Amino acid sequence: MSARLFPHGLAGVIFDCDGVLLDSRESNSIFYNRVLAVFGLPPMTPEQEKYCFMATAGQALRHIVPPALHQRIDEVVSHHVVYDRDIVPLLRLQEGFRPFVDDLRARGVRMAVHTNRRLHGIQRVLDIFALPSYFDPVVAADTAAPKPSPEGAQRICAAWGCNPADVLFVGDSEHDKTTAEGAGVVFAAFNAGPLGGQIKTESFDELHAALAEALPGTAGRSA
């Protein structure tokens, strides 16, 4: 499969953060539900959960909090439900992510992150897991137009000097897929239920196997 998708080889991989780099769906839901609780509101509906997992934090909070209470959002997330203090300790890397990116780095495959988190937030995540050196560039919602705009993916390809057709975007949402399609890069739907892509995979082991023919070099995968 990968030889057909990447006839010139895989030049680079762009990763979404939440749901791909991080197994963070539960921790994000905890954050938004705690914010709602401070406002005396019920937990998120399934529709709200789906929206919040794709959106920027600001978009998500404005979506789930009634407009009449928007002026209190900054105060609540600054003093009552503090993401760095209350939620960051709950974050975990997606299973299999570390050995997958270790192998890509050993093979000289470029890697980047494109997230709808703000730059401060994604840099904090990368620092916690000692990952900053793996990803260049890191594109966030406050450094390029948020997904589903293709701007961030286009910037990454330009920074690498790569043909977008030789680049893979690993994501788990419609926003990610739309971003990839708009930028002309190959999309891998990661553990994303009915979401389709040129590659569809449930784990990083599966993704590694799907890409095997397009990966440069013959280095064995890191343990």
Side-chain angles (χ1 to χ4, degrees):
M1 175 197 297
S2 57
R4 296 194 305 271
L5 289 174
F6 303 103
H8 305 295
L10 179 65
V13 180
I14 303 170
F15 295 93
D16 174 44
C17 178
D18 292 282
V20 175
L21 189 159
L22 292 178
D23 181 4
S24 57
R25 188 172 294 273
E26 182 178 359
S27 60
N28 282 358
S29 293
I30 290 170
F31 172 69
Y32 292 118
N33 283 330
R34 285 185 182 178
V35 170
L36 291 174
V38 172
F39 283 112
L41 298 169
M44 291 187 292
T45 65
E47 180 279 328
Q48 288 174 324
E49 287 185 3
K50 181 179 179 181
Y51 179 90
C52 290
F53 204 66
M54 295 189 296
T56 68
Q59 290 169 339
L61 290 166
R62 290 190 296 273
H63 180 73
I64 62 174
V65 175
L69 300 174
H70 282 185
Q71 73 275 10
R72 290 191 55 207
I73 289 175
D74 286 348
E75 183 261 333
V76 169
V77 300
S78 296
H79 301 290
H80 298 280
V81 187
V82 181
Y83 191 89
D84 279 3
R85 181 193 69 200
D86 301 329
I87 306 301
V88 164
L90 305 177
L91 299 178
R92 299 291 182 269
L93 286 179
Q94 191 76 248
E95 184 177 356
F97 179 78
R98 175 83 68 174
F100 182 76
V101 296
D102 280 345
D103 185 65
L104 292 187
R105 185 162 72 164
R107 295 173 185 271
V109 177
R110 297 178 179 91
M111 291 180 282
V113 173
H114 185 10
T115 177
N116 273 352
R117 287 175 179 255
R118 294 176 65 84
L119 186 60
H120 165 79
I122 184 59
Q123 287 180 331
R124 172 91 166 111
V125 166
L126 297 179
D127 286 343
I128 288 170
F129 295 107
L131 289 170
S133 63
Y134 285 64
F135 306 108
D136 183 24
V138 174
V139 177
D142 51 345
T143 63
K147 296 177 290 186
S149 167
E151 179 186 329
Q154 290 168 337
R155 285 192 186 183
I156 292 168
C157 292
W160 288 343
C162 283
N163 182 343
D166 299 332
V167 172
L168 178 70
F169 191 116
V170 186
D172 68 333
S173 72
E174 289 287 354
H175 279 8
D176 294 328
K177 182 177 181 179
T178 302
T179 296
E181 290 174 344
V185 304
V186 177
F187 181 64
F190 183 86
N191 195 21
L195 184 67
Q198 289 100 319
I199 297 173
K200 190 172 174 64
T201 179
E202 299 298 320
S203 70
F204 281 107
D205 283 337
E206 284 187 10
L207 181 58
H208 189 271
L211 295 174
E213 295 178 358
L215 292 173
T218 57
R221 189 177 178 189
S222 302

